[in-house]
Short mmCIF file of all heavy atoms in Angstrom, two decimals:
data_model
loop_
_atom_site.label_atom_id
_atom_site.label_comp_id
_atom_site.label_asym_id
_atom_site.label_seq_id
_atom_site.Cartn_x
_atom_site.Cartn_y
_atom_site.Cartn_z
N ASP X 439 -21.75 -0.66 31.18
CA ASP X 439 -22.66 -0.64 30.07
C ASP X 439 -22.54 0.60 29.26
O ASP X 439 -22.59 0.57 28.09
CB ASP X 439 -24.13 -0.83 30.58
CG ASP X 439 -24.42 -2.25 31.00
OD1 ASP X 439 -23.59 -3.08 30.62
OD2 ASP X 439 -25.43 -2.47 31.46
N VAL X 440 -22.34 1.68 29.96
CA VAL X 440 -22.26 2.93 29.28
C VAL X 440 -21.04 2.97 28.34
O VAL X 440 -21.14 3.27 27.15
CB VAL X 440 -22.16 4.10 30.25
CG1 VAL X 440 -21.97 5.44 29.52
CG2 VAL X 440 -23.39 4.14 31.19
N GLU X 441 -19.99 2.48 28.88
CA GLU X 441 -18.84 2.38 28.05
C GLU X 441 -19.06 1.50 26.85
O GLU X 441 -18.64 1.85 25.74
CB GLU X 441 -17.68 1.74 28.89
CG GLU X 441 -16.39 2.57 28.80
CD GLU X 441 -15.43 2.01 29.75
OE1 GLU X 441 -14.78 1.01 29.39
OE2 GLU X 441 -15.27 2.49 30.87
N LEU X 442 -19.69 0.49 27.14
CA LEU X 442 -19.96 -0.43 26.02
C LEU X 442 -20.80 0.24 24.93
O LEU X 442 -20.56 0.09 23.75
CB LEU X 442 -20.64 -1.71 26.44
CG LEU X 442 -19.74 -2.80 26.79
CD1 LEU X 442 -20.52 -4.09 27.19
CD2 LEU X 442 -18.90 -3.14 25.57
N ALA X 443 -21.79 0.98 25.44
CA ALA X 443 -22.64 1.63 24.48
C ALA X 443 -21.85 2.61 23.64
O ALA X 443 -22.01 2.67 22.38
CB ALA X 443 -23.80 2.38 25.23
N GLN X 444 -20.99 3.36 24.28
CA GLN X 444 -20.24 4.27 23.52
C GLN X 444 -19.33 3.61 22.55
O GLN X 444 -19.22 3.96 21.38
CB GLN X 444 -19.29 5.06 24.54
CG GLN X 444 -20.12 6.06 25.35
CD GLN X 444 -19.20 6.75 26.38
OE1 GLN X 444 -18.09 6.30 26.57
NE2 GLN X 444 -19.84 7.69 27.02
N GLU X 445 -18.76 2.47 23.06
CA GLU X 445 -17.98 1.71 22.04
C GLU X 445 -18.73 1.26 20.83
O GLU X 445 -18.37 1.28 19.71
CB GLU X 445 -17.35 0.50 22.81
CG GLU X 445 -16.36 -0.16 21.98
CD GLU X 445 -15.06 -0.22 22.79
OE1 GLU X 445 -15.05 0.21 23.91
OE2 GLU X 445 -14.08 -0.77 22.31
N THR X 446 -19.98 0.80 21.20
CA THR X 446 -20.78 0.33 20.06
C THR X 446 -21.05 1.48 19.16
O THR X 446 -21.05 1.30 17.90
CB THR X 446 -22.15 -0.16 20.65
OG1 THR X 446 -21.75 -1.18 21.65
CG2 THR X 446 -22.91 -0.77 19.53
N MET X 447 -21.35 2.64 19.66
CA MET X 447 -21.64 3.76 18.77
C MET X 447 -20.37 4.03 17.96
O MET X 447 -20.44 4.33 16.76
CB MET X 447 -21.93 4.99 19.63
CG MET X 447 -23.33 4.90 20.24
SD MET X 447 -24.57 4.63 19.05
CE MET X 447 -25.53 3.34 19.73
N ALA X 448 -19.28 3.99 18.55
CA ALA X 448 -18.04 4.26 17.88
C ALA X 448 -17.91 3.26 16.67
O ALA X 448 -17.48 3.52 15.61
CB ALA X 448 -16.87 4.14 18.78
N MET X 449 -18.27 2.04 16.96
CA MET X 449 -18.12 1.00 15.93
C MET X 449 -19.11 1.23 14.86
O MET X 449 -18.78 1.02 13.67
CB MET X 449 -18.28 -0.37 16.58
CG MET X 449 -17.22 -0.69 17.59
SD MET X 449 -17.26 -2.39 17.99
CE MET X 449 -16.15 -3.10 16.73
N ILE X 450 -20.26 1.76 15.24
CA ILE X 450 -21.23 1.94 14.14
C ILE X 450 -20.65 3.06 13.21
O ILE X 450 -20.78 3.04 12.06
CB ILE X 450 -22.53 2.42 14.69
CG1 ILE X 450 -23.31 1.21 15.32
CG2 ILE X 450 -23.42 3.13 13.68
CD1 ILE X 450 -24.65 1.52 15.86
N ARG X 451 -20.03 4.00 13.88
CA ARG X 451 -19.43 4.98 13.00
C ARG X 451 -18.37 4.42 12.14
O ARG X 451 -18.11 4.86 11.03
CB ARG X 451 -18.94 6.14 13.97
CG ARG X 451 -19.17 7.51 13.26
CD ARG X 451 -18.57 8.60 14.09
NE ARG X 451 -18.83 8.44 15.54
CZ ARG X 451 -17.83 8.30 16.39
NH1 ARG X 451 -16.61 8.34 16.02
NH2 ARG X 451 -18.14 8.11 17.71
N LYS X 452 -17.69 3.48 12.69
CA LYS X 452 -16.56 2.90 11.97
C LYS X 452 -17.04 1.88 10.91
O LYS X 452 -16.22 1.56 10.06
CB LYS X 452 -15.59 2.22 12.86
CG LYS X 452 -14.50 3.22 13.39
CD LYS X 452 -13.38 2.42 13.94
CE LYS X 452 -13.78 1.87 15.22
NZ LYS X 452 -12.63 1.30 16.01
N ALA X 453 -18.26 1.38 11.07
CA ALA X 453 -18.70 0.37 10.15
C ALA X 453 -18.73 0.92 8.75
O ALA X 453 -19.02 2.11 8.55
CB ALA X 453 -20.07 -0.10 10.58
N ARG X 454 -18.54 0.09 7.76
CA ARG X 454 -18.56 0.53 6.43
C ARG X 454 -19.42 -0.33 5.57
O ARG X 454 -19.54 -1.57 5.80
CB ARG X 454 -17.09 0.51 5.92
CG ARG X 454 -16.15 1.45 6.56
CD ARG X 454 -14.80 1.38 5.95
NE ARG X 454 -13.98 2.39 6.57
CZ ARG X 454 -12.71 2.52 6.14
NH1 ARG X 454 -12.22 1.84 5.18
NH2 ARG X 454 -12.01 3.56 6.68
N VAL X 455 -19.95 0.31 4.58
CA VAL X 455 -20.76 -0.37 3.64
C VAL X 455 -20.19 -0.05 2.27
O VAL X 455 -20.14 1.11 1.89
CB VAL X 455 -22.23 0.07 3.72
CG1 VAL X 455 -23.07 -0.67 2.67
CG2 VAL X 455 -22.82 -0.12 5.13
N SER X 456 -19.84 -1.03 1.60
CA SER X 456 -19.26 -0.79 0.28
C SER X 456 -20.21 -1.35 -0.70
O SER X 456 -20.85 -2.40 -0.57
CB SER X 456 -17.91 -1.49 0.16
OG SER X 456 -18.04 -2.85 0.01
N VAL X 457 -20.33 -0.61 -1.81
CA VAL X 457 -21.29 -1.02 -2.87
C VAL X 457 -20.49 -1.21 -4.12
O VAL X 457 -19.68 -0.43 -4.49
CB VAL X 457 -22.35 0.16 -3.15
CG1 VAL X 457 -23.22 -0.21 -4.26
CG2 VAL X 457 -23.11 0.29 -1.83
N ARG X 458 -20.70 -2.34 -4.74
CA ARG X 458 -20.05 -2.61 -6.04
C ARG X 458 -21.01 -2.44 -7.10
O ARG X 458 -22.13 -3.05 -7.08
CB ARG X 458 -19.49 -4.05 -6.06
CG ARG X 458 -18.37 -4.31 -5.07
CD ARG X 458 -18.20 -5.80 -4.90
NE ARG X 458 -17.90 -6.42 -6.17
CZ ARG X 458 -16.66 -6.65 -6.60
NH1 ARG X 458 -15.58 -6.33 -5.93
NH2 ARG X 458 -16.47 -7.27 -7.74
N ALA X 459 -20.69 -1.66 -8.10
CA ALA X 459 -21.61 -1.48 -9.18
C ALA X 459 -20.81 -1.21 -10.46
O ALA X 459 -19.65 -0.71 -10.37
CB ALA X 459 -22.51 -0.26 -8.94
N ARG X 460 -21.36 -1.56 -11.54
CA ARG X 460 -20.66 -1.24 -12.76
C ARG X 460 -21.00 0.11 -13.16
O ARG X 460 -22.07 0.57 -13.20
CB ARG X 460 -21.17 -2.29 -13.88
CG ARG X 460 -20.74 -3.66 -13.57
CD ARG X 460 -20.97 -4.56 -14.76
NE ARG X 460 -20.86 -5.95 -14.39
CZ ARG X 460 -19.66 -6.57 -14.26
NH1 ARG X 460 -18.57 -5.94 -14.62
NH2 ARG X 460 -19.57 -7.81 -14.00
N SER X 461 -19.90 0.82 -13.47
CA SER X 461 -20.07 2.20 -13.85
C SER X 461 -18.93 2.68 -14.74
O SER X 461 -17.76 2.40 -14.39
CB SER X 461 -20.25 3.05 -12.61
OG SER X 461 -20.17 4.44 -12.95
N GLU X 462 -19.25 3.40 -15.71
CA GLU X 462 -18.18 4.01 -16.45
C GLU X 462 -17.75 5.37 -15.85
O GLU X 462 -16.57 5.74 -15.98
CB GLU X 462 -18.66 4.35 -17.93
CG GLU X 462 -19.24 3.08 -18.56
CD GLU X 462 -18.20 1.98 -18.68
OE1 GLU X 462 -17.02 2.28 -18.89
OE2 GLU X 462 -18.54 0.76 -18.60
N ALA X 463 -18.64 5.94 -15.18
CA ALA X 463 -18.34 7.27 -14.56
C ALA X 463 -17.33 7.07 -13.52
O ALA X 463 -17.23 5.95 -12.98
CB ALA X 463 -19.60 7.96 -14.15
N SER X 464 -16.77 8.19 -13.11
CA SER X 464 -15.75 8.05 -12.01
C SER X 464 -16.46 7.96 -10.72
O SER X 464 -15.76 7.63 -9.65
CB SER X 464 -14.88 9.30 -12.02
OG SER X 464 -15.65 10.44 -11.80
N MET X 465 -17.66 8.23 -10.65
CA MET X 465 -18.41 8.21 -9.39
C MET X 465 -19.89 7.91 -9.63
O MET X 465 -20.45 8.56 -10.45
CB MET X 465 -18.18 9.43 -8.62
CG MET X 465 -18.60 9.31 -7.07
SD MET X 465 -18.04 10.69 -6.12
CE MET X 465 -19.12 11.94 -6.81
N ILE X 466 -20.45 7.10 -8.83
CA ILE X 466 -21.84 6.91 -8.98
C ILE X 466 -22.55 8.03 -8.31
O ILE X 466 -22.09 8.52 -7.31
CB ILE X 466 -22.33 5.52 -8.44
CG1 ILE X 466 -21.99 5.50 -6.91
CG2 ILE X 466 -21.71 4.41 -9.10
CD1 ILE X 466 -22.52 4.25 -6.21
N SER X 467 -23.59 8.44 -8.85
CA SER X 467 -24.35 9.59 -8.33
C SER X 467 -25.44 9.01 -7.37
O SER X 467 -26.31 8.35 -7.75
CB SER X 467 -24.98 10.41 -9.43
OG SER X 467 -25.78 9.58 -10.18
N ASP X 468 -25.23 9.33 -6.18
CA ASP X 468 -26.17 8.78 -5.15
C ASP X 468 -27.01 9.91 -4.46
O ASP X 468 -27.61 9.67 -3.50
CB ASP X 468 -25.36 8.10 -4.03
CG ASP X 468 -24.15 8.88 -3.62
OD1 ASP X 468 -24.12 10.04 -3.86
OD2 ASP X 468 -23.23 8.31 -2.98
N GLY X 469 -26.97 11.07 -5.08
CA GLY X 469 -27.90 12.09 -4.57
C GLY X 469 -27.29 13.01 -3.59
O GLY X 469 -27.85 14.08 -3.30
N CYS X 470 -26.19 12.64 -3.04
CA CYS X 470 -25.56 13.54 -2.13
C CYS X 470 -24.56 14.45 -2.83
O CYS X 470 -24.10 14.14 -3.92
CB CYS X 470 -24.86 12.80 -1.04
SG CYS X 470 -25.87 12.50 0.42
N GLN X 471 -24.15 15.46 -2.09
CA GLN X 471 -23.07 16.31 -2.61
C GLN X 471 -21.82 15.92 -1.93
O GLN X 471 -21.77 15.85 -0.67
CB GLN X 471 -23.39 17.81 -2.34
CG GLN X 471 -24.47 18.31 -3.31
CD GLN X 471 -24.75 19.73 -3.05
OE1 GLN X 471 -24.66 20.22 -2.01
NE2 GLN X 471 -25.15 20.46 -4.13
N TRP X 472 -20.82 15.75 -2.66
CA TRP X 472 -19.50 15.30 -2.10
C TRP X 472 -18.35 16.17 -2.50
O TRP X 472 -18.38 16.71 -3.67
CB TRP X 472 -19.21 13.85 -2.59
CG TRP X 472 -20.26 12.90 -2.28
CD1 TRP X 472 -21.28 12.54 -3.16
CD2 TRP X 472 -20.49 12.21 -1.12
NE1 TRP X 472 -22.10 11.60 -2.57
CE2 TRP X 472 -21.61 11.35 -1.25
CE3 TRP X 472 -19.73 12.09 0.02
CZ2 TRP X 472 -22.14 10.54 -0.30
CZ3 TRP X 472 -20.28 11.22 1.09
CH2 TRP X 472 -21.45 10.48 0.87
N ARG X 473 -17.52 16.41 -1.65
CA ARG X 473 -16.28 17.08 -1.97
C ARG X 473 -15.07 16.14 -1.77
O ARG X 473 -14.97 15.42 -0.76
CB ARG X 473 -16.12 18.26 -1.06
CG ARG X 473 -14.78 18.91 -1.18
CD ARG X 473 -14.66 20.08 -0.28
NE ARG X 473 -15.74 21.06 -0.44
CZ ARG X 473 -15.88 22.14 0.29
NH1 ARG X 473 -15.01 22.36 1.18
NH2 ARG X 473 -16.88 22.86 0.03
N LYS X 474 -14.28 16.19 -2.76
CA LYS X 474 -13.14 15.28 -2.70
C LYS X 474 -12.07 15.97 -1.78
O LYS X 474 -11.79 17.06 -1.81
CB LYS X 474 -12.56 15.13 -4.12
CG LYS X 474 -11.53 14.15 -4.25
CD LYS X 474 -11.12 14.00 -5.75
CE LYS X 474 -10.18 12.87 -6.04
NZ LYS X 474 -9.92 12.76 -7.40
N TYR X 475 -11.50 15.16 -0.94
CA TYR X 475 -10.51 15.66 -0.05
C TYR X 475 -9.27 14.83 -0.04
O TYR X 475 -8.33 15.12 0.72
CB TYR X 475 -11.08 15.69 1.40
CG TYR X 475 -11.34 14.43 2.06
CD1 TYR X 475 -10.34 13.79 2.81
CD2 TYR X 475 -12.54 13.76 1.95
CE1 TYR X 475 -10.54 12.59 3.40
CE2 TYR X 475 -12.76 12.56 2.55
CZ TYR X 475 -11.75 12.02 3.36
OH TYR X 475 -12.04 10.85 3.93
N GLY X 476 -9.17 13.88 -0.92
CA GLY X 476 -7.95 13.09 -0.95
C GLY X 476 -7.93 12.06 -2.01
O GLY X 476 -9.04 11.70 -2.48
N GLN X 477 -6.75 11.67 -2.41
CA GLN X 477 -6.63 10.58 -3.38
C GLN X 477 -5.38 9.90 -3.14
O GLN X 477 -4.36 10.55 -2.93
CB GLN X 477 -6.76 11.20 -4.76
CG GLN X 477 -6.41 10.15 -5.85
CD GLN X 477 -6.87 10.56 -7.20
OE1 GLN X 477 -7.95 11.06 -7.42
NE2 GLN X 477 -5.99 10.31 -8.22
N LYS X 478 -5.41 8.62 -3.24
CA LYS X 478 -4.20 7.79 -2.92
C LYS X 478 -4.09 6.61 -3.85
O LYS X 478 -5.14 6.14 -4.28
CB LYS X 478 -4.30 7.29 -1.50
CG LYS X 478 -3.93 8.27 -0.49
CD LYS X 478 -3.52 7.60 0.80
CE LYS X 478 -2.14 6.95 0.64
NZ LYS X 478 -1.26 7.21 1.73
N MET X 479 -2.89 6.28 -4.06
CA MET X 479 -2.72 4.98 -4.65
C MET X 479 -2.79 3.88 -3.62
O MET X 479 -1.93 3.90 -2.74
CB MET X 479 -1.38 4.97 -5.32
CG MET X 479 -1.24 5.98 -6.51
SD MET X 479 -2.43 5.71 -7.84
CE MET X 479 -1.84 4.11 -8.39
N ALA X 480 -3.80 3.12 -3.78
CA ALA X 480 -3.88 1.99 -2.79
C ALA X 480 -2.93 0.86 -3.21
O ALA X 480 -2.71 0.67 -4.37
CB ALA X 480 -5.27 1.52 -2.64
N LYS X 481 -2.53 0.21 -2.26
CA LYS X 481 -1.60 -0.93 -2.60
C LYS X 481 -2.37 -2.04 -3.21
O LYS X 481 -3.47 -2.36 -2.90
CB LYS X 481 -0.97 -1.46 -1.34
CG LYS X 481 0.28 -2.29 -1.54
CD LYS X 481 0.77 -2.87 -0.30
CE LYS X 481 1.92 -3.76 -0.59
NZ LYS X 481 2.30 -4.54 0.52
N GLY X 482 -1.76 -2.58 -4.22
CA GLY X 482 -2.30 -3.72 -4.91
C GLY X 482 -3.46 -3.35 -5.90
O GLY X 482 -4.14 -4.18 -6.37
N ASN X 483 -3.56 -2.05 -6.16
CA ASN X 483 -4.57 -1.68 -7.12
C ASN X 483 -3.93 -0.50 -7.98
O ASN X 483 -3.59 0.49 -7.35
CB ASN X 483 -5.81 -1.29 -6.39
CG ASN X 483 -7.01 -1.26 -7.38
OD1 ASN X 483 -6.85 -0.95 -8.55
ND2 ASN X 483 -8.12 -1.36 -6.84
N PRO X 484 -3.97 -0.71 -9.25
CA PRO X 484 -3.35 0.38 -10.04
C PRO X 484 -4.27 1.59 -10.07
O PRO X 484 -3.77 2.68 -10.44
CB PRO X 484 -3.20 -0.28 -11.42
CG PRO X 484 -4.23 -1.37 -11.43
CD PRO X 484 -4.30 -1.87 -10.02
N CYS X 485 -5.51 1.46 -9.78
CA CYS X 485 -6.45 2.59 -9.83
C CYS X 485 -6.37 3.26 -8.46
O CYS X 485 -6.37 2.65 -7.39
CB CYS X 485 -7.80 2.08 -10.03
SG CYS X 485 -8.03 1.08 -11.53
N PRO X 486 -6.41 4.64 -8.52
CA PRO X 486 -6.31 5.37 -7.26
C PRO X 486 -7.62 5.39 -6.55
O PRO X 486 -8.70 5.05 -7.10
CB PRO X 486 -6.03 6.75 -7.80
CG PRO X 486 -6.60 6.80 -9.14
CD PRO X 486 -6.43 5.43 -9.69
N ARG X 487 -7.53 5.58 -5.36
CA ARG X 487 -8.72 5.57 -4.41
C ARG X 487 -8.99 7.04 -4.05
O ARG X 487 -8.09 7.81 -3.68
CB ARG X 487 -8.49 4.71 -3.21
CG ARG X 487 -9.60 4.89 -2.19
CD ARG X 487 -9.22 4.12 -0.87
NE ARG X 487 -8.96 2.74 -1.18
CZ ARG X 487 -8.29 1.94 -0.34
NH1 ARG X 487 -7.82 2.49 0.78
NH2 ARG X 487 -8.06 0.70 -0.59
N ALA X 488 -10.18 7.38 -4.22
CA ALA X 488 -10.58 8.77 -4.01
C ALA X 488 -11.37 8.90 -2.75
O ALA X 488 -12.24 7.98 -2.41
CB ALA X 488 -11.37 9.41 -5.16
N TYR X 489 -11.21 9.98 -1.95
CA TYR X 489 -11.91 10.10 -0.69
C TYR X 489 -12.83 11.29 -0.84
O TYR X 489 -12.47 12.36 -1.24
CB TYR X 489 -10.96 10.35 0.37
CG TYR X 489 -9.98 9.22 0.65
CD1 TYR X 489 -8.77 9.16 -0.02
CD2 TYR X 489 -10.29 8.22 1.59
CE1 TYR X 489 -7.92 8.10 0.17
CE2 TYR X 489 -9.47 7.20 1.78
CZ TYR X 489 -8.25 7.13 1.09
OH TYR X 489 -7.40 6.10 1.25
N TYR X 490 -14.05 11.12 -0.42
CA TYR X 490 -15.03 12.22 -0.53
C TYR X 490 -15.65 12.39 0.83
O TYR X 490 -15.79 11.54 1.66
CB TYR X 490 -16.14 11.84 -1.54
CG TYR X 490 -15.66 11.78 -2.97
CD1 TYR X 490 -15.13 10.54 -3.47
CD2 TYR X 490 -15.71 12.82 -3.82
CE1 TYR X 490 -14.71 10.45 -4.73
CE2 TYR X 490 -15.26 12.73 -5.11
CZ TYR X 490 -14.75 11.59 -5.61
OH TYR X 490 -14.31 11.46 -6.92
N ARG X 491 -16.21 13.61 1.01
CA ARG X 491 -16.92 13.97 2.18
C ARG X 491 -18.20 14.61 1.82
O ARG X 491 -18.27 15.37 0.87
CB ARG X 491 -16.08 14.91 3.02
CG ARG X 491 -16.73 15.56 4.18
CD ARG X 491 -15.76 16.47 4.91
NE ARG X 491 -14.60 15.65 5.43
CZ ARG X 491 -13.47 16.07 5.56
NH1 ARG X 491 -13.13 17.34 5.26
NH2 ARG X 491 -12.51 15.35 6.11
N CYS X 492 -19.19 14.34 2.62
CA CYS X 492 -20.47 14.86 2.31
C CYS X 492 -20.52 16.35 2.63
O CYS X 492 -20.05 16.76 3.72
CB CYS X 492 -21.61 14.14 3.12
SG CYS X 492 -23.25 14.91 2.97
N THR X 493 -21.02 17.14 1.73
CA THR X 493 -21.00 18.56 1.92
C THR X 493 -22.40 19.14 1.89
O THR X 493 -22.63 20.30 1.74
CB THR X 493 -20.19 19.30 0.83
OG1 THR X 493 -20.74 18.93 -0.45
CG2 THR X 493 -18.78 18.86 0.89
#
Side-chain angles (χ1 to χ4, degrees):
Chain X
D439 282 353
V440 178
E441 229 173 83
L442 265 184
Q444 287 174 354
E445 190 125 359
T446 305
M447 287 305 134
M449 295 193 89
I450 284 182
R451 217 179 320 119
K452 269 195 290 188
R454 294 183 175 183
V455 179
S456 73
V457 177
R458 293 166 56 96
R460 293 190 191 278
S461 168
E462 307 299 326
S464 62
M465 192 169 73
I466 61 175
S467 54
D468 46 17
C470 268
Q471 285 181 330
W472 304 94
R473 171 179 307 174
K474 191 175 185 177
Y475 68 90
Q477 172 163 317
K478 282 199 72 133
M479 297 297 299
K481 195 184 175 191
N483 194 333
C485 305
R487 173 186 302 161
Y489 298 88
Y490 295 88
R491 168 178 300 149
C492 174
T493 58

